Amino acid sequence: IVFGKEIVALAKKDRRIAAITAAMPLGTGLSEFSKEFPDRFFDVGIAEQHAVTFAAGMAKNGMKPVVAIYSSFLQRAYDQIMHDIALQNLHVVLAIDRAGIVGEDGETHQGLYDISFLRSMPNMTIMATADHYELRNMMRYALTNMDGPAAIRFTRGRGTGRIGKDVPIEYGKGVLLRKGNDVTILVAGDMAGAALKAAEYLEAAGCMAEVINARFLKPLDERLIIDSIRKTGLVVTLENNSASGGFGSAVLELLSQYDFNPRSLVLGFPDEPIPHGTRAELFEKYKLNPRAIARRILDFINIYKIKTI
């Protein structure tokens, strides 16, 4: 709903904005756009590869195409994203719906790999939304302030929260959500709420966590991240993505360039098929709900207090 309304509002102001999907107009929220702008809406059928190459051609000719595809289906167009968009540095916006755990659609639909397969692509900017405010703001930013390829990942469901309400988007910049001195928690997108709740549990156990919403997963906000980790000496990354090659890996690669060696913990989904189940069930199963996150962090930093969480 949020994505669909925002792209309509933006398209009313800019005739160059077009929307492309691959047999997912209803699921991606493009039904209203298709009615408002039938000459700028394209459903190419179950042909994600064509959707991406079609968008590249449109961008080459001055349009601003937005390609709305579920994360799990975007995998089909890996080669086209690389060769037709990234290498040519074309201004195509990838609206990656159903990123992360999707719930009861089965293991083939889990959107847990888009960070991993996109972040190695040259010229690619990757953003992750913490709430519906950030989705709106990132859409506006990508279509009005950027020139090259941009990917915006957002999760299934109705956006809630106010994490991104009052902080404008600035290229490559994250946001400090909570100050602390004992451990730095770096968060990718929708895990921000869980991180803040986990920080409350940690505080009850005597640990003050600093929480940073990365916003941009590529490029990373190097200064904000490094300054925080130098202060705390400990870093935990948290993502709704495979831990293999994802956001945490990117942070570790960044840290390898510096002359200090903080203790680190990467929290994400393991390198195995993630089964069918509700979001709540799967976050509990893989110990990625707030209470479990806090316990894992306490174990990591070896803080033992009388209070328990």
Side-chain angles (χ1 to χ4, degrees):
I1 295 176
V2 173
F3 167 75
K5 289 186 178 299
E6 187 58 34
I7 192 172
V8 167
L10 291 166
K12 287 179 179 178
K13 299 176 182 178
D14 191 339
R15 292 182 56 83
R16 295 173 296 170
I17 294 174
I20 304 169
T21 190
M24 292 168 265
L26 181 62
T28 57
L30 287 174
S31 296
E32 183 180 349
F33 188 99
S34 69
K35 296 173 184 176
E36 286 269 355
F37 310 104
D39 58 334
R40 286 189 271 158
F41 171 75
F42 304 92
D43 184 347
V44 302
I46 305 175
E48 289 82 2
Q49 301 94 326
H50 174 61
V52 169
T53 297
F54 180 36
M58 294 178 73
K60 194 74 173 176
N61 285 277
M63 295 293 286
K64 293 182 177 180
V66 177
V67 183
I69 295 178
Y70 298 174
S71 173
S72 57
F73 299 157
L74 191 64
Q75 296 162 182
R76 300 171 181 172
Y78 178 92
D79 187 61
Q80 287 73 21
I81 299 170
M82 172 65 86
H83 290 154
D84 298 339
I85 294 177
L87 292 184
Q88 297 187 71
N89 199 25
L90 294 176
H91 188 198
V92 174
V93 176
L94 301 174
I96 307 176
D97 198 347
R98 298 335 195 242
I101 290 294
V102 294
E104 298 168 277
D105 284 340
E107 64 185 45
T108 59
H109 281 55
Q110 308 291 16
L112 295 171
Y113 311 103
D114 54 87
I115 299 174
S116 304
F117 72 74
L118 287 174
R119 74 179 190 87
S120 61
M121 294 188 180
N123 298 316
M124 182 64 69
T125 294
I126 306 173
M127 292 171 270
T129 66
D131 56 24
H132 62 288
Y133 293 106
E134 286 196 342
L135 175 54
R136 288 195 187 100
N137 293 338
M138 287 176 182
M139 283 289 295
R140 293 173 198 163
Y141 186 87
L143 286 166
T144 61
N145 293 80
M146 292 186 63
D147 293 319
I152 304 172
R153 77 184 313 255
F154 49 99
T155 56
R156 183 180 191 177
R158 192 174 183 86
T160 57
R162 300 172 61 88
I163 292 170
K165 181 173 174 56
D166 300 317
V167 184
I169 304 297
E170 185 178 351
Y171 188 75
K173 297 297 182 182
V175 180
L176 177 64
L177 299 180
R178 193 181 198 275
K179 291 184 177 180
N181 296 303
D182 296 319
V183 61
T184 298
I185 305 176
L186 302 177
V187 186
D190 67 305
M191 297 300 287
L196 288 171
K197 186 64 178 178
E200 294 178 9
Y201 289 132
L202 289 169
E203 183 175 3
C207 172
M208 297 300 294
E210 183 148 290
V211 181
I212 292 173
N213 173 21
R215 282 189 165 181
F216 284 80
L217 312 187
K218 183 186 179 183
L220 294 171
D221 189 339
E222 186 170 334
R223 189 74 276 142
L224 179 64
I225 291 171
I226 295 302
D227 285 350
S228 176
I229 298 172
R230 283 196 187 278
K231 177 177 67 174
T232 65
L234 301 170
V235 58
V236 176
T237 64
L238 182 58
E239 61 195 293
N240 187 1
N241 189 80
S242 170
S244 178
F247 171 62
S249 297
V251 172
L252 296 183
E253 289 167 17
L254 172 64
L255 293 175
S256 72
Q257 301 173 30
Y258 286 81
D259 61 353
F260 69 112
N261 187 29
R263 294 178 61 192
S264 58
L265 175 65
V266 174
L267 298 182
F269 286 89
D271 184 18
E272 65 186 45
I274 305 303
H276 174 98
T278 67
R279 285 170 56 85
E281 287 170 345
L282 293 175
F283 281 118
E284 181 177 1
K285 173 181 173 65
Y286 291 98
K287 299 180 180 179
L288 288 170
N289 56 18
R291 194 178 296 273
I293 290 167
R295 286 173 175 156
R296 293 173 75 178
I297 292 174
L298 281 180
D299 288 341
F300 164 64
I301 59 181
N302 292 319
I303 293 180
Y304 299 102
K305 300 291 183 180
I306 295 175
K307 294 180 181 179
T308 59
I309 59 174

